[in-house]
Amino acid sequence: MIKVIIAGFRGAMGQQALQMIKEQDNLEVVAVYSPSANAENAQAAGVEADTQVFNQLEDIKVEADVWLDFTTPAAVFENTKFAIEHGYQPVIGTTGLTDQQEEELMNLASDKKVGGLIVPNFSLSAVLLMKFSEEAAQYFSDVEVIEMHHEDKKDAPSGTALMTAKRIDKVRKAHEQGDSKETMPGVRGADLNGIRIHAVRLPGYVAHEQVLFGGEGEALTIRQDSFNRSSFMKGVKLAIEKVHTVDKLTIGLEQVM
Ligand code: NAP
């Protein structure tokens, strides 16, 4: 039995994860954490009566294997640090960690000999989009990334768009694309070594990404769509089950696929 703590259990992703784990024979939620949690709202959120409920990070003292985090960009660094320091293997779904924070957490995990996963996207289609984009960038070096999310998403660009751009950047020679002068600031999007990243926020959307490659008289578009949050749960389950196989804090679901 793999014992899991869910941080952010009252949120949209936390709720899906809680339900998914309750349906598995090999996984158990032993504790939940959220600053606004109490016994009543935890029960209303579907938490079992024998699961411990915490609203202060420092109060969490429970025997568990995995720390599953679906919180906020402002909370995820401290949460992950806490998990590593207490020997819980982190599976981090929350996006928004900076490069510097990731590096700090990786160093801490290595000191404490704790393996973990930072997963910018748990959907299989997004993992494949990144893989195919990396491959296409070897042939098409002119590329722009457009990500589209629901209007409540707190950070931009999405972790997946950023990771896609970073992976493309590793295989193509950095260069500017187009020489349009912006007559409206920001209209060309963010710039990662010449790769433009655009973020769309609209009601009705969940999580979607397009990678557009342009070449001599041709173009290639790679697109993935997550139409609902349950599409992430196969990946969440896999990450929880397989995180024990990684011996350092590492990035991407593909590490355990
Ligand atoms: P959400 O509905 O806003 O839920 C966030 C939850 O975090 C809230 O319930 C909130 O608790 C809780 N929270 C706030 N501060 C906290 C803290 N200091 N410690 C613990 N919990 C805290 O957001 P969501 O849609 O579930 O998304 C959560 C994160 O997952 C976001 O970063 C999002 O980008 C990411 N995400 C990742 C994937 C992926 O595949 N990796 C997919 C979708 C979303 P209260 O209710 O008590 O305020």
Side-chain angles (χ1 to χ4, degrees):
M1 187 65 87
I2 302 171
K3 295 178 177 170
V4 183
I5 299 170
I6 305 179
F9 72 101
R10 298 184 67 219
M13 288 296 287
Q15 280 285 284
Q16 291 275 338
L18 177 68
Q19 289 312 318
M20 180 276 289
I21 295 173
K22 279 166 67 178
E23 288 161 16
Q24 312 306 317
D25 294 336
N26 59 336
L27 309 180
E28 182 189 1
V29 181
V30 290
V32 292
Y33 165 57
S34 156
S36 66
N38 58 44
E40 290 77 50
N41 64 29
Q43 206 180 356
V47 174
E48 307 277 6
D50 58 350
T51 299
Q52 297 201 56
V53 179
F54 296 96
N55 52 27
Q56 299 271 356
L57 199 53
E58 54 277 18
D59 289 347
I60 303 174
K61 287 182 190 72
V62 58
E63 199 194 305
D65 305 298
V66 174
W67 176 282
L68 180 63
D69 201 290
F70 282 115
T71 61
T72 66
V76 61
F77 177 71
E78 282 309 318
N79 287 356
T80 311
K81 208 168 146 193
F82 179 89
I84 295 168
E85 280 167 349
H86 291 78
Y88 305 129
Q89 289 200 277
V91 171
I92 306 302
T94 313
T95 52
L97 281 169
T98 64
D99 290 348
Q100 198 188 336
Q101 287 176 327
E102 278 178 3
E103 199 183 320
E104 208 177 306
L105 292 168
M106 282 170 182
N107 290 337
L108 180 67
S110 145
D111 286 352
K112 300 279 179 192
K113 298 191 170 33
V114 173
L117 290 167
I118 296 172
V119 183
N121 203 313
F122 284 104
S123 82
L124 198 57
S125 60
V127 173
L128 291 175
L129 169 133
M130 286 188 269
K131 183 179 153 81
F132 297 154
S133 299
E134 201 173 15
E135 198 176 333
Q138 293 168 30
Y139 306 94
F140 292 89
S141 65
D142 292 280
V143 53
E144 304 213 3
V145 178
I146 307 172
E147 56 98 330
M148 294 144 279
H149 280 81
H150 58 93
E151 60 184 345
D152 297 326
K153 183 163 174 58
K154 298 219 165 44
D155 55 326
S158 71
T160 311
L162 192 57
M163 193 163 170
T164 308
K166 283 181 182 171
R167 284 176 64 170
I168 291 172
D169 183 48
K170 274 197 187 143
V171 295
R172 75 160 211 167
K173 202 162 164 277
H175 64 276
E176 290 300 319
Q177 283 158 197
D179 55 5
S180 303
K181 185 172 161 25
E182 284 189 341
T183 53
M184 192 181 279
V187 71
R188 288 282 295 121
D191 184 335
L192 188 132
N193 288 335
I195 302 169
R196 294 290 175 165
I197 306 174
H198 312 266
V200 175
R201 295 290 174 269
L202 282 173
Y205 280 63
V206 177
H208 317 256
E209 188 173 319
Q210 265 183 205
V211 185
L212 281 69
F213 295 93
E216 275 295 315
E218 59 180 340
L220 170 67
T221 302
I222 303 174
R223 178 173 172 126
Q224 72 82 217
D225 297 276
S226 296
F227 295 115
N228 58 48
R229 289 181 176 81
S230 62
S231 65
F232 300 117
M233 289 306 126
K234 210 188 240 183
V236 174
K237 178 171 179 286
L238 182 73
I240 294 171
E241 288 174 342
K242 292 286 180 68
V243 67
H244 71 92
T245 63
V246 298
D247 57 4
K248 56 185 180 184
L249 183 60
T250 181
I251 299 177
L253 188 67
E254 59 275 23
Q255 307 291 340
V256 293
M257 277 168 70

